[in-house]
Amino acid sequence: MQFKADSHLVSIYSSFTPLSHGFYACIFRASHQEMAKSLPVIAQEDLDSFTLTRTGSGFALKAFHISWNTHIAVKLLTSQDTTEREWKLLLQDIASVRCFESERLLPSLGIYQYHRLVGIVTEWMNNGSLHSLIHEHQLYPEVPFPLLIRILSDVAEGLHHLHSLKPAFCHCSLKPSNVLLDMQYRAKISDYGLTNWRKKQLRSDLQNCNQRNCQDLLYLPPEILEGGPPSQEGDIYSFGILCWESLSRQKPFEGQTTLLEVLTGICSGLRPGISEKFIPSNLPERNRLLQFIALCWYQEPDYRPRTAECVDLLNGILISINKEEISTAIYNLMDAKETALNACKGSEIYTLQTGICNSEVSMWHEVKITL
Amino acid sequence: MQFKADSHLVSIYSSFTPLSHGFYACIFRASHQEMAKSLPVIAQEDLDSFTLTRTGSGFALKAFHISWNTHIAVKLLTSQDTTEREWKLLLQDIASVRCFESERLLPSLGIYQYHRLVGIVTEWMNNGSLHSLIHEHQLYPEVPFPLLIRILSDVAEGLHHLHSLKPAFCHCSLKPSNVLLDMQYRAKISDYGLTNWRKKQLRSDLQNCNQRNCQDLLYLPPEILEGGPPSQEGDIYSFGILCWESLSRQKPFEGQTTLLEVLTGICSGLRPGISEKFIPSNLPERNRLLQFIALCWYQEPDYRPRTAECVDLLNGILISINKEEISTAIYNLMDAKETALNACKGSEIYTLQTGICNSEVSMWHEVKITL
């Protein structure tokens, strides 16, 4: 089996720049301006050991990048009928945000394109998404409070970074499946900065929902559901819902009548419940956190806090937590996860044990070059 | 590389029935009752040459089934957090509809399950879905009227078969991506009969939309959007929208304000436009077809036609069309498609040519057994 050893860098202005010394060399040597111009299209021949996995928001490929000598993730885009013009917008968007260096943002390393499959390439995040952490109860019977606060603080910092750029960037689609967790359960925000691509692909902002999972609509504030433009205040609303979901480990509005009723309800002030049924009474800092969440999802956008205030509040709570408590929490979490994963090994194929292998290999492939 | 040569049949009542003479033998020898009981879980080891493809409604795997010596499709289910109980409901649902023998329904051949990936196995349909035929303008610059009428007539017949069962079955999710086309562009309805799975997975009927693509909501009648139960009349409404989409080659309500406004509009009588902008004035049988569509999507469910009437009307139009016209239409279509496919070969990797390879291989894999 033959593989090309080099990665290909394709400028969005169509000049071809093959690199013999790998992609990371380019990242660290090139200036921001150069980076924004050149954007890697990941060649199929550079990838090996494909794995298809189900993620919090769809499907992703895990693959081994031969010249980078590392695992990467390819988040597959489901949008249909991509035209050449839309493809260029996507390349431009990704190039424009590649230089937003922040530990709390997951950088796009390139674009994967193979026939009808299009995906965004990022580093492989070992511990899946915040969505898994919250909702996979089998895998994570408990999510310790100290860790949760650190994750929410990480997300607030990432969002603050996006909003502090000149011009400011709005995420527009902040939700638990767009928060990914590395080996140490530090959070990074993904899927930011695809504004032009989304705009063009989906025409107006709420027509986003043509492609969105309906569940995603529940993270949108009233003013956007009613057709308003993306905004920083809109991101703060989504962050409020994300915080509620993390603390309650429930999906917003689950089990409530019809989607149509929920959406019209949101526009008239309906919000997720904050009773003990949803947020346990023994939660540390319960009142302070619930007041904060209520401010984030306030009906009137101007009353919602700015990202700096979110960072301050969450860091304030985080500081009161001993660092050792966080390490212990992570250790316990890893331990419980390993136990759950071992428990499912050797089970019969027809007893489904889904939802407990988020970082495990789902299907091993070896690429067979047939073209 | 070692492969098991036999397929596995796992009864939903947990008795294990390995078959040495292949699965099709079982289909044709077993009685309906036996078939409803035994349901094949397709073993990973029985599949080879995986291909991941993007479909009208998500992702599917194409694979070669070694013991059946044929290509199969695995429609990947995106629903999260499948529990063992939900998995059993899915098996029961699929087993219960396996005996609905009709040329116009795509039978489920089994279930694919590999770690977190779950999918429904069917035969491989060479010409993709009605969704591709309608919306991939690059691949199908023209869709001849005679062929379109035959496809709509096929769909009406399939739906009639479902509604004629005792007890009657509702499809609940009829849309162009659930109508698949074989080598001769004969249509088969897929994704029917998963009622219990959907009910359990998604709680109430409209909470279906938790998992649905929002676009799918536009195929639902007002009474279901408002929380009513699935019904035959609801399927007829969806069929009306599907007919409009096929004749107009446009997506319902595309470019119209927000989804929320469209959904509340539908409840007050909003329907897709039938002006010449949408349905060309030179369309054969234009008036008769538009009157029929308007009846199908009538606000009051009782006034909508029954499937028998749909079959009668469409067959009536079909009979007036010379059979040779249909053959010629298909020949021309195949010819245009081949030209489009050839035109994209050899293009640079960064000039995306998506949407024109729906029946082509998107990624070849060879399964590497690592477990």
Side-chain angles (χ1 to χ4, degrees):
Chain A
M1 202 175 291
Q2 271 301 107
F3 291 103
K4 279 196 205 164
D6 299 341
S7 63
H8 290 190
L9 284 190
V10 181
S11 157
I12 53 170
Y13 305 109
S14 291
S15 70
F16 220 85
T17 323
L19 260 203
S20 60
H21 48 278
F23 170 62
Y24 282 110
C26 155
I27 282 200
F28 297 118
R29 285 182 206 167
S31 72
H32 282 183
Q33 210 178 359
E34 279 169 350
M35 277 207 293
K37 272 188 198 164
S38 60
L39 184 85
V41 171
I42 310 300
Q44 175 77 359
E45 302 78 45
D46 245 344
L47 301 179
D48 192 12
S49 299
F50 278 89
T51 306
L52 178 65
T53 58
R54 219 174 65 192
T55 68
S57 58
F59 292 95
L61 293 171
K62 179 184 181 181
F64 184 76
H65 194 290
I66 298 162
S67 26
W68 301 349
N69 193 30
T70 184
H71 280 106
I72 54 126
V74 181
K75 180 181 174 145
L76 293 171
L77 300 174
T78 51
S79 55
Q80 301 293 322
D81 314 324
T82 318
T83 66
E84 205 170 323
R85 173 163 161 65
E86 287 159 351
W87 169 240
K88 277 184 184 159
L89 280 173
L90 179 64
L91 293 184
Q92 278 170 5
D93 273 345
I94 294 189
S96 73
V97 297
R98 272 187 55 212
C99 48
F100 293 177
E101 277 171 32
S102 158
E103 275 292 297
R104 311 272 64 89
L105 298 176
L106 184 69
S108 299
L109 302 178
I111 288 276
Y112 171 84
Q113 191 259 317
Y114 196 76
H115 290 225
R116 293 184 78 211
L117 299 175
V118 181
I120 298 176
V121 177
T122 65
E123 63 181 291
W124 176 255
M125 295 288 276
N126 274 67
N127 280 308
S129 69
L130 177 58
H131 181 276
S132 307
L133 186 73
I134 298 171
H135 297 298
E136 293 191 356
H137 288 262
Q138 245 184 308
L139 190 55
Y140 304 106
E142 276 185 51
V143 181
F145 180 75
L147 176 62
L148 209 50
I149 288 295
R150 192 177 72 178
I151 290 172
L152 295 180
S153 159
D154 284 349
V155 178
E157 282 180 5
L159 198 59
H160 181 58
H161 189 92
L162 277 180
H163 286 190
S164 307
L165 293 165
K166 308 271 178 246
F169 249 80
C170 300
H171 189 293
C172 311
S173 186
L174 188 64
K175 53 181 174 170
S177 60
N178 278 336
V179 173
L180 299 181
L181 304 169
D182 72 7
M183 197 78 97
Q184 294 304 315
Y185 287 91
R186 296 302 305 239
K188 289 176 198 273
I189 298 177
S190 75
D191 217 19
Y192 53 90
L194 303 182
T195 326
N196 287 317
W197 155 265
R198 285 209 180 102
K199 256 191 215 153
K200 176 66 196 162
Q201 267 267 320
L202 312 159
R203 296 268 168 79
S204 88
D205 241 73
L206 226 239
Q207 270 158 22
N208 260 339
C209 33
N210 275 356
Q211 301 296 334
R212 277 182 201 260
N213 198 316
C214 294
Q215 188 71 27
D216 296 358
L217 294 178
L218 306 177
Y219 298 94
L220 295 184
E223 71 273 13
I224 291 188
L225 286 177
E226 285 168 342
S231 65
Q232 296 177 50
E233 293 79 11
D235 281 350
I236 297 289
Y237 178 98
S238 309
F239 182 61
I241 301 284
L242 177 148
C243 289
W244 177 89
E245 188 169 340
S246 304
L247 298 178
S248 69
R249 299 193 71 180
Q250 297 188 44
K251 290 181 184 160
F253 309 106
E254 194 167 42
Q256 274 179 48
T257 60
T258 72
L259 178 76
L260 186 56
E261 275 178 8
V262 169
L263 295 183
T264 48
I266 290 169
C267 294
S268 325
L270 180 70
R271 296 293 182 272
I274 53 166
S275 71
E276 288 182 18
K277 186 181 147 199
F278 300 101
I279 313 284
S281 59
N282 61 355
L283 184 88
E285 305 276 3
R286 188 178 192 277
N287 283 350
R288 212 164 140 201
L289 283 166
L290 287 183
Q291 278 168 7
F292 166 69
I293 289 172
L295 264 185
C296 287
W297 68 33
Y298 208 82
Q299 189 80 3
E300 172 56 56
D302 290 344
Y303 286 89
R304 297 177 200 150
R306 315 286 294 173
T307 46
E309 296 166 64
C310 302
V311 171
D312 281 352
L313 179 111
L314 290 163
N315 278 350
I317 298 178
L318 191 60
I319 280 168
S320 70
I321 297 169
N322 195 313
K323 275 195 180 164
E324 272 182 28
E325 279 186 65
I326 298 177
S327 313
T328 310
I330 293 172
Y331 177 80
N332 290 339
L333 195 78
M334 285 174 170
D335 206 38
K337 184 175 173 180
E338 206 184 317
T339 309
L341 285 172
N342 283 333
C344 90
K345 277 185 192 152
S347 62
E348 297 283 357
I349 193 159
Y350 61 89
T351 53
L352 245 203
Q353 297 287 350
T354 59
I356 52 170
C357 315
N358 72 323
S359 62
E360 290 286 288
V361 160
S362 292
M363 187 197 292
W364 282 102
H365 289 125
E366 214 175 314
V367 178
K368 185 172 140 192
I369 308 291
T370 58
L371 292 178
Chain B
M1 201 174 293
Q2 271 299 108
F3 291 104
K4 279 197 206 164
D6 299 341
S7 63
H8 291 190
L9 283 190
V10 181
S11 156
I12 52 170
Y13 305 108
S14 291
S15 71
F16 220 85
T17 323
L19 259 202
S20 61
H21 48 278
F23 170 62
Y24 281 110
C26 156
I27 283 202
F28 297 117
R29 285 182 205 166
S31 72
H32 282 182
Q33 211 176 359
E34 279 168 352
M35 277 207 293
K37 273 188 197 164
S38 61
L39 184 84
V41 172
I42 309 300
Q44 175 78 358
E45 301 79 44
D46 246 343
L47 300 179
D48 192 13
S49 301
F50 279 89
T51 306
L52 178 65
T53 57
R54 220 174 66 192
T55 68
S57 58
F59 292 95
L61 293 171
K62 180 183 181 182
F64 183 75
H65 194 291
I66 298 161
S67 26
W68 301 350
N69 193 31
T70 183
H71 280 106
I72 54 124
V74 181
K75 180 180 173 147
L76 293 170
L77 300 174
T78 52
S79 55
Q80 301 292 321
D81 314 324
T82 317
T83 65
E84 205 171 323
R85 173 161 163 64
E86 287 160 350
W87 169 241
K88 278 185 183 158
L89 280 173
L90 179 64
L91 294 184
Q92 278 170 5
D93 273 345
I94 294 189
S96 73
V97 296
R98 271 187 55 214
C99 48
F100 293 177
E101 277 172 30
S102 157
E103 276 292 297
R104 310 273 66 88
L105 299 176
L106 185 68
S108 299
L109 302 179
I111 288 276
Y112 171 84
Q113 191 258 318
Y114 196 76
H115 290 225
R116 294 185 78 213
L117 299 176
V118 181
I120 297 176
V121 177
T122 65
E123 63 180 292
W124 177 256
M125 295 287 277
N126 275 67
N127 280 309
S129 69
L130 177 58
H131 181 275
S132 307
L133 186 72
I134 298 171
H135 297 297
E136 294 191 356
H137 288 262
Q138 245 184 306
L139 190 55
Y140 304 107
E142 276 186 51
V143 181
F145 180 77
L147 176 61
L148 208 50
I149 288 295
R150 192 178 73 178
I151 289 171
L152 296 180
S153 159
D154 284 349
V155 178
E157 283 180 4
L159 198 59
H160 181 58
H161 189 90
L162 278 179
H163 287 191
S164 306
L165 293 165
K166 308 271 179 245
F169 249 81
C170 300
H171 190 291
C172 311
S173 186
L174 188 64
K175 54 182 175 170
S177 60
N178 278 337
V179 172
L180 299 180
L181 303 168
D182 71 8
M183 197 79 98
Q184 295 304 314
Y185 288 89
R186 294 305 302 239
K188 288 177 199 272
I189 298 177
S190 75
D191 217 18
Y192 52 90
L194 302 182
T195 326
N196 287 316
W197 156 264
R198 286 211 181 102
K199 254 190 216 154
K200 176 67 197 163
Q201 267 265 321
L202 312 160
R203 296 267 168 79
S204 89
D205 242 73
L206 226 239
Q207 270 158 21
N208 260 339
C209 33
N210 275 355
Q211 300 297 334
R212 276 181 201 261
N213 198 314
C214 293
Q215 187 70 29
D216 296 357
L217 294 178
L218 306 177
Y219 297 93
L220 294 184
E223 71 274 12
I224 291 187
L225 286 177
E226 285 168 342
S231 64
Q232 296 177 51
E233 292 80 10
D235 282 351
I236 297 289
Y237 178 98
S238 308
F239 182 62
I241 302 284
L242 178 148
C243 288
W244 177 89
E245 188 169 341
S246 305
L247 297 178
S248 69
R249 298 194 73 180
Q250 297 188 45
K251 290 181 183 160
F253 308 107
E254 194 166 44
Q256 274 180 47
T257 61
T258 72
L259 178 76
L260 187 56
E261 276 179 7
V262 168
L263 295 183
T264 48
I266 290 170
C267 294
S268 326
L270 179 70
R271 295 293 182 271
I274 53 167
S275 70
E276 289 183 17
K277 185 182 147 198
F278 299 101
I279 312 284
S281 59
N282 60 354
L283 184 88
E285 305 277 3
R286 188 178 193 276
N287 283 349
R288 214 165 137 199
L289 283 166
L290 287 183
Q291 278 168 6
F292 166 69
I293 288 171
L295 263 184
C296 287
W297 68 34
Y298 207 83
Q299 189 80 3
E300 173 56 57
D302 291 344
Y303 285 88
R304 297 177 200 149
R306 316 285 296 174
T307 47
E309 296 166 65
C310 301
V311 171
D312 281 353
L313 179 111
L314 290 162
N315 279 350
I317 297 178
L318 191 61
I319 280 169
S320 70
I321 297 168
N322 196 313
K323 276 195 179 163
E324 271 182 28
E325 279 186 66
I326 299 178
S327 313
T328 310
I330 293 173
Y331 177 80
N332 290 340
L333 195 77
M334 286 174 170
D335 206 37
K337 184 175 174 179
E338 206 184 317
T339 308
L341 285 172
N342 283 333
C344 91
K345 278 185 193 154
S347 61
E348 298 283 357
I349 193 160
Y350 61 88
T351 53
L352 245 203
Q353 297 287 349
T354 60
I356 53 172
C357 315
N358 72 324
S359 61
E360 289 286 287
V361 160
S362 291
M363 188 196 292
W364 281 102
H365 290 125
E366 212 175 314
V367 178
K368 185 173 140 192
I369 308 292
T370 57
L371 293 175

